[in-house]
């Protein structure tokens, strides 16, 4: 219940005002059968029209007041529940924004979408129903029982027995429903994940003609969801008729016993009518309570799933130094690292190297040698197991994460663009840049020409992840975005793989001219790219097997010579 307490506290005035309106509405409902009994017994039975009119007008007034309180609590309940939902969705999204890499890998993206939408909606519906129905139904039910007993004790005992039996059925229903509804939510996760994976890889599916396999995968997830949903509904299907049967048997017993009491002159017609009205109110209240409890069962599993997100491990929160030198001196000191939660061997073992400000460092090595992992460690997506990474002489563990990442600009291996204009994407890391500055960075990244050929140029709208651009075009906008951030360290993580040799050479030349004051780290597979760097780091299984200039490495590093020979040939030496 902590998740409700946290958010409802913010709206406690509206919440308790709504509850007060619910209570007054219930009181108005409870008064009507008693007034109706007075109309029948005192007015109709004795032929007193003035009594009928007096109590009839009173009944209309109470009905109008009840309607007013009902409208008020509906408005307040909607306001509180929707505000609750908006706040909860915001906090879940904010939490996801600060997920650690471990948390990101733990919960699938399809599941996160379900939790932000479907699960949050379940909680909103529960809060709305709780304020409109849940608080009213017990008041109406208990009030009806008390007033019914006051009318006639013998009839009231029958009614109490029926209520006890129904309460037991509700408890059993809740216990049987909980696990089933939890499984439904996870089945929804699976459907969302399957659809999301297909949409992300739709071109690959078409290229390989794997339609049948994708249909089978979706059909399996969809059938599983259908089976779990049917299983969860079976409990409701089983218990709802039992509750209705119990209530109707109670009504029959009251009518039968009431007729006997009436024949013996122990009860009046108006009181029997009032008793039946109270029984109807109890019937309606119990049905509503049952529905709310069924919603609560669904909501309980949803609340636990949302709590799992809210309690997940966050990115590093250490508030270290927020002001450091605006230069790009980077040093790895005896760094060892392995990914958390894996039993695989270490990615790095005692790795050491340094790169000075204004230098260009190329990192090259066989696939799986840890080149991209260097980037994640510099950005502090993970902490090293041993050793330290220093920026301008300060251990990055002692630097505030935001400050650290402000000093590093990344053009990733997989270009990720966002829905919006070309200019918006270039200015993503630095929203203060002007249009002319964006054009300058686009020229450097060799993107200006194709952007100018688009219909609206820099105001052209890009689809999700730049779906309307080629791979090379996305990479060039990604490079321009990294340049626009204007950080002292520029990291190019194999981000020119989709460019032809001439375009890549032009990009490298432009970078040297534009960024003479920056530290540039190029993660690359191409020896032709590495040659242009001031220094080259050669990695093999996470070990520094070579560090120096191109000429030095040709003489001293076998791994580098093998890469050179495989791409250019030994004659090129």
């Amino acid at each position: 219940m902590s998740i409700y307490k946290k958010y409802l506290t913010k709206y406690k005035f509206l919440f308790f005002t709504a509850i007060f309106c619910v209570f007054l509405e219930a009181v108005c409902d409870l008064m009507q059968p008693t007034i109706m009994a007075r109309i029948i017994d005192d007015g109709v039975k004795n032929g007193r029209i003035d009594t009928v009119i007096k109590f009839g007008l009173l009944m209309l007034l109470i009905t109008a007041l009840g309607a007013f309180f009902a409208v008020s609590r509906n408005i307040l309940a909607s306001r509180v529940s929707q505000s609750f939902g908006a706040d909860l969705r915001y906090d879940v999204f904010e939490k996801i924004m600060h997920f650690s890499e471990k948390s990101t890998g733990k919960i699938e993206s399809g599941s996160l979408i379900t939790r932000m939408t479907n699960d949050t909606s379940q909680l909103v519906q529960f809060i709305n129903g709780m304020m409109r129905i849940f608080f009213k139904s017990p008041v109406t039910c208990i009030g009806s029982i008390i007033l019914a007993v006051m009318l006639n004790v013998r009839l009231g005992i029958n009614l109490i027995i029926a209520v006890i039996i129904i309460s037991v059925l509700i408890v059993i229903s809740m216990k049987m429903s909980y696990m089933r509804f939890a499984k439904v939510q996870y089945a929804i996760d699976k459907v969302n994940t399957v659809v999301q994976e297909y949409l992300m890889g739709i071109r690959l599916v078409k290229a390989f003609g794997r339609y049948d396999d994708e249909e089978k995968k979706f059909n399996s997830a969809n059938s599983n969801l259908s089976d779990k949903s049917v299983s969860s509904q079976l409990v409701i299907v089983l218990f709802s008729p039992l509750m209705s049967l119990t209530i109707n048997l109670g009504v029959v017993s009251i009518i039968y016993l009431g007729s006997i009491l009436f024949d013996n002159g122990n009860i009046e017609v108006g009181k029997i009518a009032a008793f039946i009205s109270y029984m109807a109110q109890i019937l309606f209240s119990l049905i509503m309570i049952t529905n709310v409890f069924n919603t609560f069962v669904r909501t309980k599993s949803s609340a636990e799933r949302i709590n799992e997100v809210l309690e997940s491990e966050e990115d590093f929160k250490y508030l270290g130094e927020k002001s450091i030198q605006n230069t790009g001196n980077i040093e790895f000191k005896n760094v060892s690292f392995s990914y958390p939660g894996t039993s695989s061997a270490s990615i790095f073992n005692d790795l050491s190297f340094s790169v000075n400000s204004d230098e260009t460092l190329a990192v090259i090595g066989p696939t799986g040698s840890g080149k991209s992992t260097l980037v994640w460690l510099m950005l502090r997506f993970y902490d090293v197991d041993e050793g330290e990474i220093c920026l301008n002489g300060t251990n990055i563990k002692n630097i505030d994460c935001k400050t650290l990442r402000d000093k590093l600009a990344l053009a990733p291996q997989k270009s990720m663009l966002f829905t919006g204009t070309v200019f918006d994407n270039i200015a993503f890391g630095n929203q203060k840049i002007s249009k002319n500055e964006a054009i300058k960075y686009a020229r450097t990244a060799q993107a200006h020409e194709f952007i100018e050929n688009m219909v609206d140029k820099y105001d052209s709208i890009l689809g999700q992840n730049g779906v309307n651009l080629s791979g090379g075009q996305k990479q060039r906008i990604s490079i321009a975005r990294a340049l626009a951030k204007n950080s002292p360290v520029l990291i190019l993580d194999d981000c020119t793989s989709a460019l032809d040799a001439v375009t890549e050479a032009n990009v490298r030349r432009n970078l040297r001219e534009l960024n003479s004051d920056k530290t540039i780290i190029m993660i690359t597979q191409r020896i032709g790219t590495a040659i242009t760097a001031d220094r080259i780091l050669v990695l093999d299984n996470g070990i520094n097997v070579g560090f120096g200039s191109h000429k030095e490495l040709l003489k001293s590093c076998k791994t580098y010579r093998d890469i050179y020979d495989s791409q250019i040939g030994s004659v090129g030496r």
Side-chain angles (χ1 to χ4, degrees), residues 507-524:
V507 171
R508 289 201 306 269
R509 185 190 68 247
N510 292 343
L511 287 174
R512 285 196 299 272
E513 294 173 356
L514 181 67
N515 295 298
S516 57
D517 61 335
K518 292 186 185 295
T519 300
I520 302 176
I521 299 175
M522 299 186 296
I523 311 295
T524 183

Side-chain angles (χ1 to χ4, degrees), residues 363 371-372 375 409-416 444-446 470-483 490-500 503-504 507-508 511 520-526 529:
V363 182
K371 299 186 296 295
S372 291
V375 178
L410 172 67
Q413 187 174 17
K414 184 179 179 181
S415 301
M416 175 68 196
T444 302
Q446 293 286 290
S470 69
Q473 289 172 333
K474 287 194 284 187
Q475 284 191 337
R476 282 177 275 176
I477 289 179
S478 177
I479 294 170
R481 177 175 61 197
L483 291 169
L490 176 64
I491 304 172
L492 307 175
D493 184 10
D494 200 17
C495 60
T496 58
S497 56
L499 304 184
D500 60 80
T503 303
E504 184 187 8
V507 171
R508 289 201 306 269
L511 287 174
I520 302 176
I521 299 175
M522 299 186 296
I523 311 295
T524 183
Q525 300 276 7
R526 295 179 180 178
T529 301

